[in-house]
C-alpha cells in the first residue's frame, strides 16, 4: 500500500492496527462468522416461547425471562436472545 505511511502519522487503536496488518475486511469477516453461529428460532420454539410467556407473565415476584429460559425445551438460548425474540414476536 503506497499510502500506508500516511496512516502511521496518527494514533491508532488495536482495531485499526489489526485492520492495517490483516487487511481492512478481516475484522468484518470475523464478525459475520460469529453472527451466523446463532441458530434461528424454529416455529415450534416460537410457539413454545409464546406459551411460556403467557403462562409466566402474570406471576408476581418472579423473573419472567428466567422462568421462560428454564421452560424452553432447547437449552442454550441466552437471556438476550429470548428477550429479542419476545420483542420481535
Amino acid at each position: 500500500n503506497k499510502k500506508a505511511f500516511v496512516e502511521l502519522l496518527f494514533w491508532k487503536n488495536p482495531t485499526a492496527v489489526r485492520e492495517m496488518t490483516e487487511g481492512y475486511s478481516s475484522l468484518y469477516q470475523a464478525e459475520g462468522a460469529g453472527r451466523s453461529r446463532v441458530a434461528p428460532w424454529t416455529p415450534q420454539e416460537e410457539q413454545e416461547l409464546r406459551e411460556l410467556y403467557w403462562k409466566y407473565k402474570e406471576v408476581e415476584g418472579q423473573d419472567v425471562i428466567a422462568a421462560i429460559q428454564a421452560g424452553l425445551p432447547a437449552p442454550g438460548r441466552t437471556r438476550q436472545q429470548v428477550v429479542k425474540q419476545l420483542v420481535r414476536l
Side-chain angles (χ1 to χ4, degrees):
N1 187 354
K2 295 179 182 180
K3 298 178 183 177
F5 68 92
V6 176
E7 291 201 28
L8 296 174
L9 298 175
F10 303 97
W11 289 99
K12 301 288 181 257
N13 61 20
T15 304
V17 173
R18 180 176 175 198
E19 286 179 340
M20 287 174 58
T21 57
E22 296 179 12
Y24 288 99
S25 63
S26 65
L27 183 64
Y28 302 110
Q29 290 171 353
E31 285 179 359
R35 290 182 184 162
S36 65
R37 283 188 241 144
V38 176
W41 289 80
T42 64
Q44 294 83 13
E45 287 177 325
E46 288 180 356
Q47 182 62 33
E48 184 71 24
L49 185 64
R50 281 188 194 101
E51 291 171 7
L52 289 170
Y53 173 73
W54 287 107
K55 180 180 177 181
Y56 292 117
K57 78 174 195 157
E58 298 295 328
V59 177
E60 293 289 330
Q62 183 179 4
D63 184 14
V64 176
I65 302 300
I68 290 173
Q69 276 184 296
L72 283 175
R77 296 285 185 186
T78 64
R79 182 178 180 89
Q80 184 178 8
Q81 289 172 341
V82 172
V83 170
K84 279 186 176 181
Q85 188 64 17
L86 281 172
V87 169
R88 191 183 73 74
L89 291 174

